[in-house]
């Protein structure tokens, strides 16, 4: 009697959903695993490891994502497989290599010897670090490695519960049976992309004219000012700015919901640029620094650029002491969960590629987490879907008009709840219904 692997592959299929938000994806699957994988999104190629002829593998287009399932272990030429993937990925496309964790080689061999597990044909167990070394020679950039499923069985529901508990306890130790190693196509080519700048504005009448005046004039750039329900003349001022700066492509939106996060999500649906920037209206971040933010994306050095206020010395009164403490606490916690070493998680200035928009809405719909500012949604989603995240240090300035819209304790509690829920999302296997 063989040990059933239905639950193992079902969880694996659900785990892959985070990388398959875009339909422009390719899933290369071992033919022996064909019936086990549930994937209705990607294009698929099934390979027979015993009759693998690389010259016969045909790709119809360039893909944003390519996934290997049960291929690396069975392939006879890992370098050639990786090379084929790179040649058929878009400029910053992602390669996801899924493989059996080498920590369990001897257990797997024992189960096969006892005839409790199907024997693998020409199976080679290759550690993630070794795959990364080979991939770097092909021109891939290593992003991250995660693992899932310490207990790969349901056991009448007890196995699922036990698996979740163990995953959360040992999340730092890569103890899951299945590993997921994420690579990025490392092609550095400067492309001047069209740009959208989103400015959420509530009670910012006194800041907006100076802010827009200082925004550098980028080619093919639009500015979207989202006006919240203000007690001053923010909306009227924005309309006047639109009339004054005819050389800018300015759109003024009247926000239908509440909060900065809602303003950003409403504006995202109106953007047309290849690169999106979020810029706070209070001029605490100098708008001239957008040149460097955009340059990092244009050079393809990153998919997502996060501003950091906590590297340079900030102006006096720019941030309250308790806010500094909270920001440093959150950046530490987020770095632990996402394995992305950030120095600031709540800086309002963030720049990212357009394809993240679809992923953000998928993230929100799938996990239903409530973020009052949008910063956590953006960072967690970018990390969860395998984006390359970089930081740009900014000099943080004190506000000269108006007052902060942040409630330290109420919003802080919301962020703590968000963090706890996202910790579970990142570090436990999902079932089909979430």
């Amino acid at each position: 009697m063989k040990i059933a692997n239905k639950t193992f592959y079902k969880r694996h299929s659900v785990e892959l959903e985070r990388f398959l938000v875009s339909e422009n994806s390719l899933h290369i699957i071992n033919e022996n695993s064909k019936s086990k994988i549930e994937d209705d999104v990607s294009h698929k190629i099934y390979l027979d490891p015993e009759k693998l002829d690389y010259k016969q593998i045909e790709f119809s287009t360039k893909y944003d994502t390519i996934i290997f399932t049960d291929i690396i272990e069975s392939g006879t030429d890992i370098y050639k497989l990786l090379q084929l993937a790179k040649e058929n990925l878009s400029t910053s496309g992602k390669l996801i290599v899924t493989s059996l964790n080498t920590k369990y080689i001897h257990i797997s061999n024992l189960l096969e010897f006892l005839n409790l597990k199907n024997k693998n044909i020409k199976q080679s167990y290759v550690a993630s670090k070794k795959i990364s070394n080979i991939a770097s020679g092909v021109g891939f950039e290593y992003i991250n490695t995660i693992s899932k499923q310490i207990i790969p069985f349901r056991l009448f529901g007890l196995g699922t519960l036990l698996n979740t508990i163990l995953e959360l306890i040992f999340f730092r130790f890569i103890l899951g049976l299945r590993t997921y190693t994420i690579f990025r196509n490392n092609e550095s080519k400067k492309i001047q992309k069209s740009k959208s700048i989103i400015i959420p504005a509530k009670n910012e009448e006194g800041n907006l004219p100076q802010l827009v005046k200082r925004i550098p004039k980028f080619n093919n750039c639009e500015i979207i000012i989202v006006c919240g329900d203000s007690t001053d003349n923010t909306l009227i001022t924005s309309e006047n700015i639109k009339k004054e700066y005819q050389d800018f492509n300015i759109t003024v939106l009247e926000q239908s919901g509440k909060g900065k996060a809602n303003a950003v999500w409403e504006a995202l649906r109106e953007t047309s640029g290849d690169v999106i920037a979020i810029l706070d209206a209070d001029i605490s971040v100098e708008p001239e620094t957008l040149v460097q933010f955009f340059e990092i994306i244009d050079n393809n050095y990153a998919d997502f650029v996060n501003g950091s206020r906590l590297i340079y010395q900030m102006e006096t009164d720019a941030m309250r002491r308790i806010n500094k403490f909270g920001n440093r606490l959150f950046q530490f916690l987020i770095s632990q969960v996402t394995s992305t070493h950030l120095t600031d998680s709540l800086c309002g200035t963030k720049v990212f590629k357009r394809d993240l928009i679809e992923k953000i809405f998928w993230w929100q719909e799938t996990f239903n987490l409530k973020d009052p500012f949008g910063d956590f949604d953006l960072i967690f989603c970018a990390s969860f879907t395998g984006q390359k995240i970089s930081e740009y240090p900014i000099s943080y300035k004190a506000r000269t008009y108006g007052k902060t819209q942040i409630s330290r304790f109420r919003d802080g509690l919301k962020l703590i709840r968000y963090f706890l829920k996202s910790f579970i999302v990142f570090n436990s296997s999902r079932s089909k219904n979430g």
Side-chain angles (χ1 to χ4, degrees):
M1 180 179 176
K2 301 288 193 298
I3 296 175
N5 56 20
K6 184 178 180 180
T7 298
F8 176 71
Y9 276 98
K10 182 174 287 189
R11 289 179 185 163
H12 169 64
S13 297
V14 176
E15 195 62 40
L16 292 179
E17 288 179 3
R18 67 164 85 180
F19 307 114
L20 296 173
V21 178
S22 169
E23 293 185 1
N24 186 27
S25 55
L26 173 68
H27 198 169
I28 302 178
I29 304 169
N30 187 317
E31 193 171 77
N32 296 318
S33 304
K34 182 176 182 178
S35 62
K36 306 171 186 175
I37 303 298
E38 299 176 14
D39 173 9
D40 299 325
V41 177
S42 66
H43 301 283
K44 284 169 279 293
I45 293 178
Y46 301 101
L47 300 180
D48 185 340
E50 289 189 302
K51 304 173 183 177
L52 191 54
D53 185 351
Y54 299 101
K55 295 179 181 178
Q56 293 181 356
I57 303 176
E58 296 183 1
F59 297 83
S60 58
T61 184
K62 292 267 188 179
Y63 295 95
D64 294 329
T65 305
I66 294 179
I67 297 174
F68 289 159
T69 289
D70 297 343
I71 289 294
I72 287 292
E73 301 95 325
S74 304
T76 57
D77 191 337
I78 295 175
Y79 183 88
K80 185 62 177 177
L81 276 170
L82 295 171
Q83 194 174 51
L84 279 170
K86 180 176 173 60
E87 290 170 356
N88 292 278
L89 274 171
S90 59
T91 301
S92 57
K94 307 300 185 301
L95 171 66
I96 317 299
V97 177
T98 77
S99 182
L100 185 67
N101 195 334
T102 53
K103 291 182 174 71
Y104 300 99
I105 293 175
H106 300 302
I107 294 176
S108 178
N109 289 338
L110 176 62
L111 292 175
E112 289 180 8
F113 175 76
L114 296 174
N115 202 30
L116 295 175
K117 174 181 176 296
N118 289 327
K119 290 188 177 182
N120 293 300
I121 303 170
K122 296 182 179 178
Q123 190 88 338
S124 300
Y125 296 100
V126 186
S128 297
K129 287 185 179 179
K130 294 179 180 179
I131 296 173
S132 299
N133 289 338
I134 300 170
S136 66
V138 178
F140 278 109
E141 178 182 15
Y142 171 80
I143 300 296
N144 195 15
T145 296
I146 60 175
S147 73
K148 291 295 169 73
Q149 300 199 64
I150 298 175
I151 304 294
F153 316 112
R154 284 186 57 81
L155 298 177
F156 308 105
L158 292 177
T160 300
L161 176 61
L162 181 59
N163 179 70
T164 300
I165 293 172
L166 292 176
E167 285 177 323
L168 295 176
I169 293 174
F170 299 109
F171 75 100
R172 296 289 294 171
F173 298 101
I174 313 293
L175 293 180
L177 284 168
R178 175 77 77 174
T179 61
Y180 302 81
T181 305
I182 307 163
F183 299 99
R184 181 175 183 267
N185 191 6
N186 192 17
E187 290 186 19
S188 297
K189 47 171 74 170
K190 188 163 187 173
I191 302 174
Q192 294 291 340
K193 299 177 174 67
S194 59
K195 297 166 175 64
S196 298
I197 302 172
I198 296 173
I199 303 175
K202 179 180 179 181
N203 297 322
E204 299 290 0
E205 170 192 356
N207 287 321
L208 282 171
Q210 181 67 13
L211 175 72
V212 175
K213 181 179 180 180
R214 291 175 57 185
I215 292 177
K217 290 180 172 58
F218 301 102
N219 291 327
N220 198 5
C221 178
E222 65 181 3
I223 297 174
I224 300 177
I225 305 175
V226 195
C227 300
D229 185 18
S230 303
T231 56
D232 66 5
N233 294 315
T234 294
L235 180 59
I236 296 173
T237 300
S238 299
E239 295 287 2
N240 291 336
I241 289 172
K242 178 180 178 179
K243 294 175 184 176
E244 180 180 355
Y245 291 92
Q246 297 289 330
D247 51 339
F248 275 135
N249 178 16
I250 298 179
T251 299
V252 177
L253 300 177
E254 192 169 357
Q255 185 181 350
S256 62
K258 294 183 178 180
K260 178 187 173 181
N262 173 263
V264 171
W265 311 143
E266 290 188 9
L268 281 178
R269 291 183 169 88
E270 304 298 324
T271 59
S272 61
D274 298 321
V275 184
I276 316 296
I278 300 170
L279 182 66
D280 284 345
D282 59 8
I283 323 184
S284 57
V285 175
E286 295 177 322
E288 292 84 358
T289 60
L290 285 177
V291 172
Q292 288 73 42
F293 277 92
F294 283 136
E295 188 174 61
I296 294 170
I297 299 289
D298 285 345
N299 285 325
N300 197 38
Y301 294 152
D303 305 308
F304 184 105
V305 186
N306 185 62
S308 176
R309 304 161 296 175
L310 302 176
I311 294 178
Y312 300 143
Q313 186 72 30
M314 63 180 65
E315 282 189 353
T316 304
D317 299 327
M319 185 184 296
R320 289 171 288 190
R321 189 179 299 274
I322 191 170
N323 288 35
K324 288 182 183 179
F325 172 78
N327 274 281
R328 294 193 182 278
L329 175 63
F330 280 125
Q331 64 86 11
F332 171 77
L333 294 174
I334 289 173
S335 295
Q336 296 302 305
V337 173
T338 65
S339 298
T340 304
H341 298 290
L342 300 175
T343 59
D344 187 3
S345 58
L346 294 172
C347 177
T349 305
K350 291 175 169 57
V351 178
F352 48 90
K353 294 181 178 177
R354 181 172 191 80
D355 60 7
L356 187 67
I357 296 176
E358 185 180 8
K359 296 178 175 67
I360 290 168
F361 293 136
W362 170 84
W363 165 268
Q364 293 172 340
E365 182 180 347
T366 302
F367 300 109
N368 194 30
L369 301 170
K370 304 298 182 184
D371 179 359
F373 310 123
D375 300 291
F376 277 21
D377 266 348
L378 290 164
I379 291 175
F380 277 95
C381 172
S383 176
F384 193 72
T385 57
Q387 309 306 300
K388 170 65 184 298
I389 301 175
S390 293
E391 277 195 324
Y392 181 78
I394 53 94
S395 298
Y396 195 55
K397 308 295 183 182
R399 173 188 280 270
T400 58
Y401 170 87
K403 60 181 181 179
T404 180
Q405 315 290 327
I406 298 172
S407 171
R408 287 174 289 178
F409 299 106
R410 183 191 65 221
D411 292 330
L413 287 174
K414 290 180 182 178
L415 293 177
I416 290 172
R417 286 196 295 268
Y418 187 107
F419 167 77
L420 293 174
K421 291 180 180 179
S422 61
F423 173 77
I424 295 172
V425 168
F426 265 80
N427 296 295
S428 62
S429 299
R430 292 170 54 214
S431 61
K432 195 60 182 176
N433 58 5

